[in-house]
Amino acid sequence: MQIDQIRSVYLIGAGGIGMSALIRYFLSLGKRVGGYDLTPSELTEALITEGAEIHYTDDPAQIPAVYTEKASTLIVFTPAVPPEHRELTWFREQGFTIRKRSQVLGLITQSGKGLCVAGTHGKTTTSTMLAHLLYQSHVKCNAFLGGISKNYGTNLLLDPGNPYVVIEADEFDRSFHWLSPYMSVITSTDPDHLDIYGTEEAYLESFARYTSLIQPGGVLLARKGISLEPRLQPGVRLYSYSRDEGDFHAENIRIGGGTIRVDFVGPGVRIHDIELGVPVSINIENGVAAMAVAWLNGVTPEEIRAGMASFRGVDRRFDFKIKNDRVVYLSDYAHHPSEIYQSIASVRELYAGKKITAVFQPHLYSRTQDFYKEFADSLSLADEVILTDIYPARELPVPGVTSQLILDHISADIPGSLCRKEEIVTHLTDKTIEVLITLGAGDIENYSAAISQMLENR
């Protein structure tokens, strides 16, 4: 089924950040769009306001009649939806055209120039930064993002007729194998999703296969030093990048006073005195990748400098809630040991000498079971650590796997404690807070407003 044959689209898992971008895309094309999600959220309510028809009970009888016309309706679902889902089962039994979200994105990249950002971590910030650099320049772009851009208040950017499409390429469930990138960044290949892949070797093999999908005439920009054996088609150029070395890198890095300035260096280009709009040190490396792809696609040095300075970040990625001389509070989506290490290290570099308190909500029992020692090592970079219960997402509990596993391996000289997420504000009330960071991909963000209020009223 081609996009121009579709009159209506029904999405199962409509409230997911990636699915919501597709909802907005199909609404922009004038399609009738509806779907199901487990619970109401700020995002689903926004989508309803924009024209989507969303309900929250898994019941085929509640599917509006317009989405039961098989010949003109596309069904889209995410891998997080359980196979026994009643509505998804009904659509399968009726013989509807059913596609994963990643397959739909694959159709979109086939008809344009997909600028894709893959990697265990860093892909949301890097892809959103790249999209902003392009969109605010004369080049422009479309973009399907894995987070809400603070510059635009959405995860979808549209420029009808423009060939460039920025996409966050998700390795979960091998979703990125449906894409046909014109250019791709790979930020990292640290093992993750071992409940899906089984072994580190299978995980790395998945990235190797992904590189074979880059179109001839395109580019692979891989972070220097990652575990990756590219399988590039003839005519695909390979570049390396990192913060300090590689074909593209930063020089003359100046960090202090809450600001970061760098010079961007690459083959045939040097852009002096670039200020990072979101001044955390990991964004030096993310910025190098985004600037490299933007420059390779015609964004001028002046536009790159302006775009980097005006970038405001992504909701829940180094998201500053309070930033003053008395206290700093930020939240971050980090949920992998490497992400957590980079997040805390960036904050420590920016606020040298300050006490850093980290609150972490582990995400998934399987990930905690696989990496509890690595989580403890990364969290031990903080001065005090507070752990909430594990956020289960799609999983059932695993016997013996709790946040206590991580706490037991935190460095002995670092104060650590456990608390229920509902009690986090009370738990923090009597603690000395200079720099606070809440970490995790679950629902810890739901408590950020209450935490902010408590800190501001102290």
Side-chain angles (χ1 to χ4, degrees):
M1 181 181 290
Q2 299 300 313
I3 289 177
D4 58 1
Q5 298 175 306
I6 299 167
R7 289 206 299 269
S8 57
V9 185
Y10 193 85
L11 300 96
I12 302 175
I17 192 68
M19 292 285 271
S20 65
L22 283 182
I23 289 175
R24 287 168 165 151
Y25 172 72
F26 283 117
L27 285 172
S28 77
L29 297 179
K31 311 294 184 185
R32 186 87 174 262
V33 183
Y36 160 89
D37 203 72
L38 182 63
T39 55
S41 67
E42 186 177 325
L43 184 53
T44 58
E45 294 306 304
L47 294 171
I48 290 170
T49 300
E50 293 168 30
E53 303 169 275
I54 298 173
H55 66 267
Y56 307 101
T57 302
D58 179 15
D59 181 6
Q62 291 199 25
I63 301 170
V66 67
Y67 306 108
T68 62
E69 297 176 9
K70 183 165 55 177
S72 60
T73 301
L74 172 67
I75 312 302
V76 185
F77 73 103
T78 72
V81 174
E84 65 273 13
H85 191 277
R86 292 176 61 204
E87 290 187 1
L88 183 58
T89 299
W90 184 84
F91 283 119
R92 282 181 173 141
E93 290 174 346
Q94 301 302 314
F96 276 72
T97 300
I98 301 175
R99 296 289 183 265
K100 291 183 180 180
R101 167 184 167 269
S102 53
Q103 290 175 286
V104 178
L105 290 175
L107 288 174
I108 294 169
T109 58
Q110 286 172 9
S111 60
K113 290 187 173 182
L115 306 178
C116 304
V117 181
T120 314
H121 44 80
K123 55 184 176 285
T124 299
T125 298
T126 304
S127 58
T128 306
M129 194 180 290
L130 170 60
H132 176 61
L133 290 177
L134 290 163
Y135 199 75
Q136 59 86 50
S137 78
H138 76 282
V139 178
K140 305 297 183 184
C141 70
N142 302 278
F144 294 81
L145 304 172
I148 302 298
S149 162
K150 287 192 161 188
N151 287 87
Y152 306 102
T154 183
N155 53 350
L156 175 69
L157 298 179
L158 293 174
D159 186 45
N162 191 302
Y164 293 108
V165 185
V166 177
I167 288 180
E168 180 176 325
D170 189 4
E171 80 277 11
F172 175 71
D173 196 37
R174 298 175 174 84
S175 292
F176 59 175
H177 289 171
W178 294 101
L179 302 176
S180 299
Y182 170 57
M183 294 188 182
S184 181
V185 175
I186 297 183
T187 63
S188 52
T189 55
D190 299 326
D192 196 10
H193 303 301
L194 297 185
D195 56 324
I196 300 293
Y197 286 97
T199 65
E200 178 178 352
E201 290 74 20
Y203 188 76
L204 296 177
E205 164 63 25
S206 187
F207 274 90
R209 180 182 170 193
Y210 168 72
T211 65
S212 73
L213 304 175
I214 299 173
Q215 300 170 16
V219 165
L220 171 61
L221 178 66
R223 183 185 176 278
K224 192 173 179 64
I226 63 174
S227 296
L228 179 69
E229 295 183 8
R231 295 182 195 152
L232 302 179
Q233 297 187 58
V236 176
R237 292 171 286 165
L238 174 62
Y239 294 107
S240 64
Y241 82 96
S242 75
R243 169 173 166 154
D244 302 304
E245 56 182 342
D247 296 316
F248 294 94
H249 61 274
E251 293 182 1
N252 193 21
I253 298 169
R254 290 145 284 163
I255 301 175
T259 66
I260 298 178
R261 292 179 181 273
V262 304
D263 295 346
F264 170 68
V265 180
V269 62
R270 177 182 288 269
I271 307 174
H272 296 280
D273 202 32
I274 294 168
E275 181 177 356
L276 302 191
V278 180
V280 288
S281 61
I282 187 57
N283 276 350
I284 300 173
E285 189 164 89
N286 293 335
V288 167
M291 288 187 283
V293 177
W295 182 76
L296 289 169
N297 287 284
V299 180
T300 68
E302 294 77 16
E303 291 171 334
I304 287 175
R305 188 182 290 108
M308 291 300 294
S310 61
F311 179 65
R312 293 293 169 257
V314 189
D315 281 352
R316 299 193 68 181
R317 270 72 173 185
F318 297 107
D319 192 352
F320 284 91
K321 307 293 187 180
I322 303 175
K323 188 178 181 182
N324 58 46
D325 294 338
R326 184 175 60 85
V327 64
V328 173
Y329 168 40
L330 66 154
S331 71
D332 192 31
Y333 194 73
H335 55 282
H336 184 278
S338 297
E339 292 175 330
I340 290 171
Y341 181 87
Q342 290 180 343
S343 183
I344 298 174
S346 291
V347 172
R348 185 166 293 287
E349 189 171 20
L350 197 62
Y351 296 101
K354 297 280 191 179
K355 178 192 174 186
I356 297 173
T357 302
V359 178
F360 176 46
Q361 180 188 47
H363 186 266
L364 299 180
Y365 293 99
S366 59
R367 186 180 284 123
T368 304
Q369 185 176 40
D370 289 334
F371 299 119
Y372 64 89
K373 291 181 181 178
E374 291 83 354
F375 278 125
D377 289 344
S378 296
L379 288 164
S380 294
L381 190 62
D383 297 301
E384 183 170 1
V385 176
I386 300 165
L387 294 162
T388 72
D389 293 336
I390 296 170
Y391 184 79
R394 59 185 180 271
E395 294 184 339
L396 296 173
V398 176
V401 178
T402 69
S403 297
Q404 186 70 46
L405 276 176
I406 299 173
L407 185 63
D408 288 343
H409 290 82
I410 297 286
S411 294
D413 59 338
I414 294 176
S417 58
L418 297 173
C419 82
R420 296 173 62 244
K421 64 187 179 184
E422 296 86 358
E423 299 168 351
I424 189 62
V425 176
T426 303
H427 196 79
L428 289 167
T429 298
D430 297 325
K431 293 186 178 294
T432 301
I433 304 293
E434 294 181 353
V435 178
L436 173 67
I437 180 168
T438 52
L439 301 154
D443 59 358
I444 188 71
E445 174 70 8
N446 293 348
Y447 301 89
S448 63
I451 293 171
S452 296
Q453 184 178 22
M454 180 271 293
L455 291 173
E456 288 173 335
N457 293 337
R458 290 172 70 154

